[in-house]
Amino acid sequence: MSGQLAFGDPEFFSTSQIRDYCNNGARLLRPLYNELHIAAEELEAVLRFVPSTNPQAGGLDSRVRAKFVAGHLHRSADAVEVAVASLRRTYMSFHKHFVNDQPPKPKRQFTFD
């Protein structure tokens, strides 16, 4: 992955510029979803082996705390998923509300013979 994330210049003067901006954003953010989920699993695995502060818990408290901490990374991955989906929806909504500006085709009328 590149060291710098950039969607490109937000110039919205044509349909293709809006589409390209949304696609660039989704393309850049999408790999972060997997990266964050994998990092969360790795973090949880490492933190499970941190010595327990309570010897009577038998290490159970370390496993629970590790799950709490790793949960934040899982939620950040879910936020990336929402961001990518919203970028896709942005372009589709633009297309629906501004590009498909034609009136609906008239429906066939039922006639009594």
Side-chain angles (χ1 to χ4, degrees):
M1 196 189 300
S2 72
Q4 181 180 356
L5 291 176
F7 288 16
D9 292 332
E11 294 180 3
F12 305 124
F13 298 110
S14 70
T15 302
S16 62
Q17 286 179 328
I18 295 171
R19 182 194 64 230
D20 291 345
Y21 186 80
C22 292
N23 284 342
N24 288 342
R27 194 176 320 111
L28 286 170
L29 291 177
R30 196 170 196 193
L32 293 177
Y33 174 78
N34 291 328
E35 175 82 22
L36 289 170
H37 269 299
I38 292 169
E41 294 297 327
E42 291 172 349
L43 179 64
E44 184 177 348
V46 169
L47 291 178
R48 289 175 69 136
F49 293 103
V50 172
S52 175
T53 57
N54 184 0
Q56 290 132 352
L60 184 63
D61 63 331
S62 289
R63 288 190 294 259
V64 170
R65 290 183 298 157
K67 190 167 274 309
F68 284 146
V69 173
H72 293 289
L73 274 179
H74 279 296
R75 280 190 289 285
S76 65
D78 294 339
V80 168
E81 182 180 20
V82 169
V84 170
S86 293
L87 282 164
R88 298 289 186 204
R89 286 184 187 113
T90 298
Y91 179 70
M92 296 308 292
S93 179
F94 161 74
H95 201 272
K96 175 183 175 184
H97 293 288
F98 289 95
V99 176
N100 267 346
D101 222 10
Q102 303 160 3
K105 294 180 184 177
K107 295 182 180 179
R108 292 177 66 180
Q109 298 293 323
F110 182 81
T111 57
F112 291 95
D113 293 330

